[in-house]
Amino acid sequence: MIYSKFLSVGAYAPENIVTNEDLSKIMDTSDEWISTRTGIKERRISKNEDCSDLAYKAGKNALEKSGLKAEDIDLIIVATVSPDMFFPSVSCIVQDKLGAENATCFDLNAACSGFVYGCIVASSMIKTGEYKNALVIGSEVLSKLLDWEDRSTAVLFGDGAGAAIITKSETEGIIAGATSSNGSKGGSLSCGALDVKSPFTEEDNIKHKKLIMNGREVFKFATGAMVDNINKLLEKTNISLDEVKYIVPHQANVRIIDYVARKINEPIEKFYMNLDRYGNTSSATIPLVLNEMDEKGLLQKGDKIILVGFGAGLTSGALILNW
Ligand code: COA
């Protein structure tokens, strides 16, 4: 039996900190509104760095901690919705910068669920026996996709990257994943790319190359999908929530996480959060949290952890693992 497990995690966030106070100077908002509605106090905004720069730094950090060499990596998956270019992929750029010449590389677009999807794909590829060491990165510069005139979205997001090395193992690390997607709700969180007609509306969407969101619709989807995927995992694996030490949720809004905690009857302390300092960094939130928990020594070998995310698509996914 071939298993897969997390070997190391890493992260990188731009130095530039933008607080709620800073935002209130450039738009009609306040620290009070943002804090109470979302839990966010500040976020990092990239100045001169693109998605691949952040991805490379997070990936390098995870690689250094793993004890592996760049040549040992045979798979690189970057989950992102804010790539430098349509092509080449961010993962190919990262491969070149790292010197990971033996890696097969591709990007994956599942928005904020991207890191979870990436880990599931990497784990499945390792379990075929064809791959040994995968580098999975979530990296975003959403600040470049935001409409800074739209206070209802601009205050929510930030930039950052997180990474994990997932490796072939003789003991069970990654236990199971659960995913789902709902393309019929795609229009509730979207961002145009080419000059084409929007698939979501009859109207011409050509000029719309910024993120737009129906916050309430996404809120509703997020809470339902997170609870469903956690329950699916528990059913699939016969593991009870009592055995799970931490739940690492996508970091979009503390109210979403509160709702999920109440719905599954678990104390909020079981859900680790750092969204007060980073905001929603999309695919980067979960690995950024994992890295912070790892650096704080909160994760012990064998601890059962659930990762659970949701995002544009709409997509959602969860993963249960032994650390
Ligand atoms: N500052 C001050 N006021 C703001 C504001 C801001 N940044 N953004 C919106 N408002 C105002 C609105 O204009 C509205 O005013 P009105 O009542 O006069 O019309 C009021 O605040 C309430 O807005 P509403 O959208 O109802 O707030 P909400 O409680 O639903 O919270 C979100 C909005 C976006 C925080 C919340 O819906 C949410 O978190 N949704 C999920 C989004 C998400 O997770 N996205 C990421 C997916 S990966």
Side-chain angles (χ1 to χ4, degrees):
M1 186 81 184
I2 303 173
Y3 294 110
S4 64
K5 67 171 183 190
F6 275 61
L7 186 61
S8 64
V9 282
Y12 174 77
E15 277 176 17
N16 179 34
I17 297 173
V18 175
T19 64
N20 293 346
E21 286 296 337
D22 295 331
L23 289 181
S24 69
K25 289 177 193 142
I26 58 165
M27 63 183 77
D28 182 14
T29 190
S30 62
D31 175 48
E32 205 268 329
W33 193 95
I34 304 171
S35 303
T36 53
R37 299 279 174 143
T38 72
I40 299 165
K41 298 294 280 182
E42 60 186 45
R43 72 286 294 138
R44 306 295 180 94
I45 302 290
S46 153
K47 273 187 167 161
N48 294 309
E49 293 172 311
D50 292 323
C51 181
S52 66
D53 298 311
L54 272 55
Y56 163 66
K57 288 177 182 170
K60 187 162 177 271
N61 186 226
L63 184 64
E64 281 165 0
K65 292 190 209 162
S66 72
L68 297 176
K69 296 196 211 64
E71 311 86 87
D72 300 328
I73 302 296
D74 50 16
L75 179 63
I76 301 177
I77 301 174
V78 175
T80 186
V81 289
S82 48
D84 307 16
M85 289 172 272
F86 286 123
F87 48 84
S89 62
V90 174
S91 49
C92 279
I93 300 171
V94 170
Q95 173 193 31
D96 183 42
K97 286 189 177 176
L98 283 177
E101 58 203 32
N102 298 317
T104 293
C105 307
F106 60 92
D107 288 2
L108 181 156
N109 177 338
C112 306
S113 314
F115 181 76
V116 172
Y117 278 40
C119 292
I120 291 171
V121 172
S123 171
S124 307
M125 289 175 76
I126 288 169
K127 286 177 182 172
T128 65
E130 297 269 327
Y131 300 87
K132 201 162 170 239
N133 299 307
L135 172 59
V136 181
I137 304 173
S139 180
E140 306 285 2
V141 282
L142 284 185
S143 64
K144 297 179 196 293
L145 301 180
L146 292 174
D147 175 356
W148 287 98
E149 314 253 292
D150 176 10
R151 66 178 182 172
S152 70
T153 53
V155 304
L156 305 176
F157 298 93
D159 301 336
I165 304 273
I166 297 178
T167 193
K168 191 170 165 179
S169 164
E170 281 170 12
T171 53
E172 192 174 43
I174 293 178
I175 305 167
T179 51
S180 63
S181 306
N182 185 349
S184 74
K185 293 255 163 65
S188 55
L189 180 51
S190 71
C191 182
L194 294 172
D195 287 348
V196 293
K197 197 169 80 57
S198 165
F200 303 120
T201 61
E202 286 305 312
E203 74 197 67
D204 185 3
N205 199 25
I206 288 171
K207 293 197 183 66
H208 172 61
K209 297 213 178 76
K210 296 287 173 198
L211 182 152
I212 48 170
M213 180 174 75
N214 179 334
R216 284 189 187 174
E217 210 166 282
V218 176
F219 197 104
K220 217 165 92 194
F221 169 80
T223 46
M226 284 170 96
V227 171
D228 282 355
N229 278 325
I230 292 172
N231 285 334
K232 259 198 245 171
L233 278 184
L234 300 175
E235 225 169 85
K236 221 176 178 176
T237 57
N238 251 332
I239 294 171
S240 81
L241 274 173
D242 291 343
E243 299 170 66
V244 175
K245 187 165 175 198
Y246 285 108
I247 297 175
V248 177
H250 173 49
Q251 314 275 308
N253 188 326
V254 69
R255 282 158 54 211
I256 293 176
I257 299 167
D258 268 338
Y259 178 95
V260 173
R262 272 185 279 118
K263 204 77 191 163
I264 63 170
N265 257 324
E266 286 295 311
I268 192 71
E269 293 71 31
K270 209 164 188 168
F271 293 74
Y272 192 93
M273 288 181 252
N274 65 8
L275 65 86
D276 55 326
R277 283 164 288 127
Y278 294 99
N280 181 348
T281 57
S282 188
S283 64
T285 69
I286 290 176
L288 267 171
V289 166
L290 278 177
N291 184 65
E292 190 171 305
M293 293 173 79
D294 187 46
E295 284 185 345
K296 283 188 171 172
L298 296 175
L299 303 172
Q300 308 303 321
K301 193 171 169 5
D303 284 347
K304 281 195 175 32
I305 298 163
I306 288 179
L307 316 181
V308 57
F310 61 90
L314 297 173
T315 58
S316 65
L319 189 67
I320 186 161
L321 58 108
N322 293 310
W323 189 249

